[in-house]
Amino acid sequence: RSLARERLKEWTVKFCSEPLRWKVLELTGDTNHNERAIDAADILICTPEKWDLITRGWRDPSISLPPGESKSSHRYVKDIALLVIDEIHLL
């Protein structure tokens, strides 16, 4: 989590200013964001455990989703252009 927080601070400075103006969002066990915030983010900084949790069953419509998420949820998984995971051995 501390590594994710470091990246959030660094990348917010680097990518949120001109000319890019990207939105950077942290997804860890300490954060809770709705589907709209995740969809709006250009960069997601995520722990391996949180990524596993939010993407589990994204292709299986029979899996029950957490409250507040619709069946159209997780479309951001399909929109990933680049995924960098630190400590992947934790999954």
Side-chain angles (χ1 to χ4, degrees):
R1 290 181 192 155
S2 62
L3 181 58
R5 185 62 44 97
E6 282 180 36
R7 289 295 155 257
L8 177 67
K9 289 176 184 176
E10 291 174 12
W11 290 4
T12 297
V13 170
K14 184 179 269 188
F15 296 116
C16 293
S17 58
E18 292 288 338
L20 297 175
R21 299 195 88 122
W22 288 352
K23 293 179 185 165
V24 181
L25 186 69
E26 176 189 4
L27 294 174
T28 65
D30 296 336
T31 62
N32 188 15
H33 299 288
N34 64 23
E35 178 181 337
R36 188 173 295 161
I38 295 171
D39 284 341
D42 297 298
I43 299 175
L44 295 176
I45 299 171
C46 193
T47 60
E49 299 88 355
K50 188 70 169 193
W51 185 250
D52 180 46
L53 178 69
I54 65 174
T55 59
R56 188 173 295 253
W58 69 274
R59 285 195 274 180
D60 187 349
S62 68
I63 299 224
S64 60
L65 297 173
E69 292 193 19
S70 65
K71 290 293 181 186
S72 65
S73 292
H74 301 15
R75 69 177 160 266
Y76 52 84
V77 176
K78 295 182 208 174
D79 293 338
I80 298 294
L82 173 66
L83 179 64
V84 178
I85 300 179
D86 188 26
E87 299 186 24
I88 190 70
H89 63 278
L90 297 176
L91 286 181

